[in-house]
Amino acid sequence: MFYPLSAFIAYRYAKSNKASQTSFVSFINRFSVAGIALGLMALIIVVSVMNGLEGQLKQRILGIVPHIEITKTPIISESPNGASNEQEVTDTPPQTTEKNQALTIKKISETPIEGVVATMAYREAEAVVQSRSDLRGVQVHGVQPEVMIEHTLVANHMEQGRFSDLTKGSFAAIIGRSLAIKLEARVGDRLRVMVAGASVYTPFGRMPSQRLVTVVGVFDMGSQMDDKVMYMNLEDVNRLMRDPKGSEQSLRLFLDDAFNYQAVVSVLTDKMSVSINNIRTWRERQGPLFDAVKMEKNMMTLMLLLIIAVAAFNIVSALVMVVTEKQGDIAVLQTQGMLPSSVMWIFVLNGLFNGIKGAGIGLVLGVVITLQLNNILDLIGSPLALAADGRGLPIEMDVVQIAGIALLSLLLCVLASVYPARKAMKIAPSQALQNE
């Protein structure tokens, strides 16, 4: 089979026995290959674990927090001259506000939007929950049970009860396991819910709206939101808020990918004329947490890439010494007609071959260790139960990401080979052969 001359010579030198190289050059070559392999292996392991942790946060927290919530919607009315005027719901007369808002929300919920898998009438209220032993502040989510069962992860993480128990008029509630422990509440217990957003006047003055609710279920998402959320039927929450017709309820959108929220927001604002002030996304509540996780992952990736870069640039030292040692051989090749550019490619490809060896070893070790990481941790007696099922570290391997890391490692090896290759290209045969 025909090989280009530069590739043939570079390949023969890369696979040659160590006796044909000086011991120090051979050591630096092995050291650079080992450094690239270790750096790439560590980077694959760390990135896969960080992806898994990010996925767990996405599952646990964004499974509870609404992806997108439309709190109020604008009304498009035609002016006498035919132009469309945007008017907020609150500017309409009291008699038509409820009808117009209901029609507008209904129209949005019936319009298919790419990335939105379901919509649901929704209401959220700040409340205080009192048990026999404690008092806690929570967010009361008024939901439609049938939609929650089909489109949320909370319904799949029920320890006791189910969402179908949230029947209309029952004033039943589902709470998180963490909140149940703090309140010392069990299924069947009654809790007092007090809402400051709605109040009633009594002989003792103005009092917050309150109601006794029965705990019918307990969920466990393993997130920081477990002790802050209580689910109730939407109709019951409307009655608790002294708004039985639900004129102030909003629309909750479920996305197939919560991180793709910006595209949905653009459709709502550009094509459906929804004011950006009336749209709330999960980033308003949990954005800083995910930004911190992303920054930590990026910094870890950068640090490990620097390790690979240090190992790759060890190739510079090895090739510079090879160029110095092989000046006579290079001069002989040039006198026999080899072009300077071909001489340069010999050393570039030699660095690339070293990078391929290091990246190949690191890729295999990284993938194998990542797949067996939990077993290795169990073997050394340091298991970590951070996954949702409690079985160990969450691991998510992204093939595209790993391939990109490996290609970047090879690119660093090629860049590290450019300087010694250009130095070899500039060797003058007449001067080199004088010392031979």
Side-chain angles (χ1 to χ4, degrees):
M1 183 178 293
F2 172 76
Y3 292 99
L5 182 59
S6 300
F8 176 75
I9 297 175
Y11 177 72
R12 288 292 299 270
Y13 186 76
K15 66 176 293 190
S16 63
N17 56 14
K18 306 305 177 185
S20 63
Q21 306 177 25
T22 62
S23 59
F24 188 62
V25 173
S26 176
F27 169 75
I28 292 180
N29 269 326
R30 290 198 297 268
F31 184 82
S32 61
V33 170
I36 294 169
L38 290 175
L40 183 59
M41 178 191 71
L43 185 54
I44 291 174
I45 295 172
V46 169
V47 169
S48 299
V49 173
M50 292 297 293
N51 287 340
L53 291 174
E54 187 177 36
Q56 287 294 309
L57 284 177
K58 182 179 178 181
Q59 174 182 339
R60 295 178 181 183
I61 295 179
L62 300 188
I64 297 177
V65 176
H67 297 165
I68 295 179
E69 179 186 356
I70 303 176
T71 55
K72 291 184 294 185
T73 54
I75 298 169
I76 306 299
S77 60
E78 292 294 330
S79 61
N81 58 4
S84 61
N85 296 326
E86 183 175 314
Q87 185 179 12
E88 293 292 334
V89 173
T90 52
D91 295 337
T92 57
Q95 296 178 351
T96 61
T97 298
E98 180 184 340
K99 180 179 179 181
N100 288 334
Q101 184 180 5
L103 289 174
T104 307
I105 287 181
K106 182 179 180 181
K107 181 179 178 180
I108 294 175
S109 64
E110 293 176 349
T111 303
I113 303 174
E114 185 178 358
V116 178
V117 295
T119 60
M120 177 182 71
Y122 172 78
R123 188 160 195 169
E124 183 177 323
E126 299 289 337
V128 174
V129 178
Q130 181 183 21
S131 67
R132 295 180 179 179
S133 60
D134 205 350
L135 191 72
R136 294 283 173 175
V138 297
Q139 298 172 358
V140 178
H141 290 190
V143 298
Q144 296 176 335
E146 61 278 5
V147 181
M148 295 293 291
I149 292 173
E150 187 174 355
H151 297 288
T152 62
L153 291 174
V154 181
N156 299 327
H157 289 79
M158 297 293 297
E159 286 194 345
Q160 294 176 280
R162 53 187 183 273
F163 270 88
S164 58
D165 296 330
L166 298 180
T167 56
K168 177 181 176 181
S170 64
F171 282 93
I174 294 176
I175 61 177
R177 181 173 180 270
S178 299
L179 182 61
I181 292 174
K182 293 177 180 179
L183 295 176
E184 297 182 5
R186 299 178 179 85
V187 173
D189 290 351
R190 307 193 74 186
L191 305 175
R192 183 175 299 275
V193 179
M194 295 171 282
V195 182
S199 57
V200 293
Y201 290 94
T202 69
F204 301 99
R206 188 175 181 178
M207 300 291 290
S209 177
Q210 54 184 297
R211 187 80 184 217
L212 288 174
V213 300
T214 304
V215 179
V216 296
V218 176
F219 68 88
D220 184 13
M221 291 288 288
S223 75
Q224 62 183 18
M225 299 296 295
D226 284 12
D227 63 342
K228 299 179 177 63
V229 173
M230 169 184 287
Y231 290 103
M232 293 179 62
N233 189 284
L234 177 62
E235 301 293 336
D236 293 344
V237 174
N238 286 333
R239 292 175 60 186
L240 182 64
M241 297 295 295
R242 304 292 175 181
D243 181 24
K245 295 184 179 180
S247 59
E248 294 296 326
Q249 68 188 22
S250 57
L251 184 68
R252 177 172 175 175
L253 276 59
F254 297 90
L255 309 185
D256 55 358
D257 184 3
F259 286 173
N260 196 30
Y261 72 97
Q262 196 61 53
V264 178
V265 171
S266 298
V267 173
L268 291 173
T269 55
D270 298 340
K271 297 183 179 180
M272 306 187 73
S273 301
V274 179
S275 173
I276 190 65
N277 297 323
N278 299 331
I279 300 175
R280 298 174 59 189
T281 67
W282 61 266
R283 279 201 61 85
E284 296 178 15
R285 305 180 184 183
Q286 302 298 331
L289 173 62
F290 283 90
D291 288 341
V293 172
K294 185 177 181 180
M295 183 184 67
E296 184 178 358
K297 182 171 70 172
N298 291 340
M299 293 305 297
M300 293 291 293
T301 303
L302 178 61
M303 275 196 327
L304 293 171
L305 278 176
L306 290 176
I307 294 176
I308 297 176
V310 170
F313 280 94
N314 281 330
I315 297 174
V316 177
S317 304
L319 290 181
V320 166
M321 286 186 289
V322 170
V323 170
T324 304
E325 180 186 355
K326 302 293 183 180
Q327 285 189 11
D329 298 338
I330 295 170
V332 170
L333 290 174
Q334 287 181 330
T335 57
Q336 292 181 352
M338 178 172 280
L339 298 175
S341 59
S342 299
V343 174
M344 183 189 73
W345 276 108
I346 291 175
F347 292 93
V348 171
L349 292 174
N350 184 261
L352 177 61
F353 290 150
N354 284 334
I356 290 175
K357 286 192 291 186
I361 296 171
L363 186 63
V364 172
L365 290 177
V367 171
V368 171
I369 293 178
T370 301
L371 294 176
Q372 300 297 325
L373 186 58
N374 287 315
N375 294 332
I376 294 173
L377 291 175
D378 290 337
L379 186 63
I380 64 177
S382 299
L384 296 174
L386 298 179
D389 54 5
R391 295 181 181 178
L393 279 174
I395 295 173
E396 184 178 334
M397 298 181 64
D398 188 342
V399 176
V400 176
Q401 191 177 44
I402 292 175
I405 293 170
L407 291 177
L408 182 58
S409 302
L410 294 178
L411 179 61
L412 289 175
C413 295
V414 173
L415 292 177
S417 306
V418 171
Y419 170 73
R422 289 182 62 84
K423 186 177 179 180
M425 181 180 67
K426 294 178 180 179
I427 291 177
S430 58
Q431 296 179 358
L433 292 175
Q434 284 178 355
N435 301 324
E436 293 296 328

